[in-house]
Amino acid sequence: MFDAPFDVFAVMFAIAAFLIALKASNQATELRRRLNSLEAALQAQRQIQPPPPLPVQEQVSTSATSAAEPPPLAPEAEAAPPPLVTEEASPPPLEASPSGDAPPSLPAPTPDIKEPGFEERLGTRWVVWIGGLALALGGFFMVRYSIEAGLVGPGVRVFLGGLFAAALLGAGEWTRRKESISNIQALPIANIPAILTAAGTAVAFATVYAAYALYGFLVPATAFVLLGIVAMGTLAAALLHGPALAGLGVVGAFATPVLVSSGKPDYWALYIYLAIVTAASFGLARIRLWRWLAVTTIVFAVLWVFPGLDTGDLHIAPHAFHVMSGFVLAALLVVCGFMFGPDIEDGQIEPVSSSALGAYLFGAMLIVLSSAHADLSLIAYTLLVAATLFVAWRAEAAAGALGAAAATVFIVFAEWAVRANPDMLVLPGGPVPGITPAATDSAVTQHLVMAAVFAIGFGVAGFLAQGRSNSAIIPVVWSAAGVATPIAILIALYARIAHLDRSIPFAILAVLLAAAFGAATELLTRREPRPGLAISTALFATGTLGALALALTFALEKGWLTIALALMSLGTAWIALQRPITFLRWLAAIFAGIVTARIGYDPRIVGDAVGTTPIFNWLLWGYGLPAASFWGASIFLRRRSDDAPLRMVEAAAILFTALLAFMQVRHLATGGDMIASPSLLEAALQVCVALAMAIGLERLQLRSHSIVHNVGAVVLTAIAGFISVFGLLFLENPLIWHIDVGGAVFNLLLLGYALPAVLMLLLAYATAGARGKVYANTIAGAALVFALVYLTLEIRRFYHGPFLTSGETTGAEQYTYSIGWLGFGVVLLGIGILANSERARLASAAVIALTILKAFVIDMSTLTGVYRALSFMGLGIVLVAIGWLYQRILFRRQVTPTVQQIST
């Protein structure tokens, strides 16, 4: 069928088949070795076990007759040859002792049974496997060579292929019978019969398929019958020869259309053949309960969906037949608890049962996407989704397929939503566009019908499934699919038809969906408690909130989506307070995470339409309302417990509060241009805001004891420190850069250096008792630095005007710096004495020490005349006065009275 580089593909299939069969053979050999050891041990146990004691009368009679009777035969002489142990054999049951005690423990395996070595494995197993693969591949490639070289005619090729297959099958059966007769147990089983039979089966598949698809010797009915006979023969042979033949057979059967190919693909012949192979493989897997065989078959069947999908000439009908036939066979034979599937306990979701249906749904979805949503592919896909709901309704083991069905439904509609086909719709003009009343394209109508069917089907089934199962997970899966699927479909239709613009019709649909979910929630709350009912009720309640949020999004501007999702988090937290369900707490945290991701995508929320009005702009609503919602949600959640969802919501509340403040500062400092360069005003306001929020969180965490509040305070302090050092002291320092600082007193220096110094001092006192001394003293030291910088810059502003970088530094200015620093140190000392603050006195000492350093390093070299003298005179007077204060007030010595003074 498919020419070309399929030789490599054939070798890949052969290697895969070899590995699968080798693993199965090793497992069977190991099992047989253990069973033989167990049988030998049981035989030895019977030999050494003494007979039970006889009564006295029986002992006398036995002793009287024992001399006349010949001795009995040895057990070895009477024992029949041990039967051939197959992989399906089970060890014989242990016989209970006459006294009723437990059977004695088995002796250790005999030492003569050894694990086969490398040479033994090579000579008895691997050579046989490689030989079997060589036989099968030789038959395939001989057919291929005869085709390419034109050695023999088509009829002769088919005849020789059938003859070769018959020879291999006959050899396999003959060796199986000989093996059972010869009963050679010294060597490990090499599975020669299984290898020969598997090779013959694969060649038989190829021969029949070539006679039908390549040469037209067989009509479809005859080919169908012959392929069915070969498939059934493979099934019967695998029942005799075990999993090795099953593995090789299924790999060879699925690889046959690749190895025996043709330049003109016939998809109907291919998929009819694959349906027969799939049925045989599923039937064998069902009889033997081989899950690995069912999974292997599903994987190969889904892989065969891909041929032809990437070409322009897609054959939709045969592809649809392939996935639908495979789905039906999987439902009949693989799904546990449904029709002919294996049995399973109620309330369990079986992975193979669910993944089997999900795999064929995935294949149907690929056909829909590759065919550009052709009508036939949509019909086939809709039927499979409906069949999934039906099978999952009847068999709880397949409930996991509901997730796959919901996911593929969303992918199909989402892909249709983003597909660039503007000619499919005729949208009316006007300020409020909506669904066109005259949509003429049939694809639009068909998608709308599909959307209604899916939304109603999933929603109604999710509601009716409540209370039907004794397991909690089953109704939760149904309710999750019933809530998520209609919402996902509505979002996809809104994106495709309304192009994410305002749409009153879609807002009405969202309100109706919210009403339906609300009614379901109310009905479920009145029912008697059942497994999973509480979580399902919470899911429907959350769907109500989600639909209402979508209604706001559809009816209002797109920036309201952020607000709506934040309000969903608040509403979910309130519901969690009323109904203590753990899932609802996580759901509130998930909504907070979605809003955070939305902000990361577009921090301005509404793009360029933020507005130019300070404070009262879209940032206030886009950040302020979510922040308030998250703070409220954290209050509701904290009333129950302090857990991970609460911390996530608290983190979102702190984040949005900080972003609101920072974004508003940037908006104010740049006049609404959110991408403008930073400035001294912005850096000053950012530092003040960060410090103020850090102080608030430090106070809050003393009451809440929340680790999030604790970490948030540290993070905001670090942000303030980063902006202070790199922004205010370097990048936006007016002493370095040509920056206009403004008026004489009320200027940017007051906002950028004095106010941060005060806030740092308050933060240091807020953390003094709650954190370590190093942390608080570091913040206090930063406050001292900024206060000194502010004093210095204000003195320079007095001498140089609003631009501090202009003009020369005079002697009077240098003297003023010394006087100002010295006065600042004295003020700090006075505060330290009056408030009895050691920290203030140490700060005073640091400032005075800096003043002394300046006097000896700078003033001595730059000042001249009277300024130099006054600088040192003033410094000396202040230092003497400070010494006197320390002696008389702080550290006044107590003089010990003498004896004379006491007597006096």
Side-chain angles (χ1 to χ4, degrees), residues 218-549:
L218 303 175
V219 296
T222 305
F224 182 87
V225 172
L226 291 179
L227 289 175
I229 292 174
V230 175
M232 295 304 104
T234 304
L235 175 62
L239 289 173
L240 293 175
H241 294 279
L245 179 61
L248 287 178
V250 71
V251 172
F254 278 101
T256 297
V258 176
L259 299 177
V260 184
S261 57
S262 131
K264 188 177 182 181
D266 187 347
Y267 287 100
W268 274 114
L270 170 66
Y271 289 136
I272 290 175
Y273 164 78
L274 292 179
I276 298 173
V277 172
T278 302
S281 182
F282 280 165
L284 177 59
R286 170 62 185 92
I287 294 174
R288 285 296 189 91
L289 297 179
W290 287 340
R291 300 175 63 182
W292 64 268
L293 182 59
V295 173
T296 304
T297 304
I298 293 168
V299 171
F300 279 118
V302 173
L303 289 177
W304 272 110
V305 177
F306 287 91
L309 290 182
D310 56 346
T311 61
D313 187 19
L314 175 61
H315 297 74
I316 300 176
H319 279 77
F321 166 79
H322 175 56
V323 295
M324 295 181 72
S325 62
F327 184 95
V328 172
L329 291 172
L332 293 177
L333 300 173
V334 176
V335 176
C336 296
F338 182 79
M339 299 299 289
F340 307 108
D343 295 331
I344 192 174
E345 295 182 5
D346 293 337
Q348 294 184 6
I349 297 179
E350 204 275 319
V352 176
S353 301
S354 300
S355 60
L357 303 184
Y360 286 105
L361 282 173
F362 173 76
M365 179 195 70
L366 292 179
I367 298 174
V368 172
L369 301 183
S370 301
S371 64
H373 296 245
D375 292 347
L376 181 59
S377 64
L378 288 176
I379 293 173
Y381 173 73
T382 304
L383 292 176
L384 289 189
V385 172
T388 302
L389 294 178
F390 174 75
V391 175
W393 184 270
R394 298 291 303 274
E396 294 180 347
L402 294 173
T408 56
V409 166
F410 174 71
I411 293 174
V412 166
F413 280 92
E415 195 272 344
W416 179 68
V418 300
R419 182 177 293 274
N421 288 325
D423 295 335
M424 294 176 60
L425 299 173
V426 181
L427 297 179
V432 186
I435 301 177
T436 171
T440 57
D441 198 300
S442 60
V444 176
T445 303
Q446 189 169 4
H447 280 80
L448 292 178
V449 173
M450 284 178 55
V453 170
F454 287 153
I456 295 174
F458 276 92
V460 173
F463 173 76
L464 295 179
Q466 305 307 310
R468 296 182 67 250
S469 175
N470 294 324
S471 173
I473 188 62
I474 303 298
V476 170
V477 172
W478 275 103
S479 59
V483 171
T485 305
I487 292 179
I489 292 174
L490 184 61
I491 294 174
L493 291 178
Y494 167 71
R496 179 62 182 91
I497 297 178
H499 301 289
L500 300 181
D501 290 331
R502 297 174 60 194
S503 176
I504 298 300
F506 274 104
I508 295 174
L509 290 177
V511 171
L512 294 176
L513 183 61
F517 286 154
T521 304
E522 182 65 22
L523 292 175
L524 291 178
T525 55
R526 299 178 181 179
R527 292 188 178 182
E528 297 180 357
R530 291 282 296 171
L533 183 62
I535 298 179
S536 298
T537 304
L539 286 173
F540 277 102
T542 305
T544 304
L545 296 176
L548 290 176

Side-chain angles (χ1 to χ4, degrees), residues 853-864:
L853 181 64
K854 177 182 180 297
F856 284 93
V857 175
I858 299 177
D859 292 356
M860 185 176 292
S861 61
T862 59
L863 295 180
T864 58

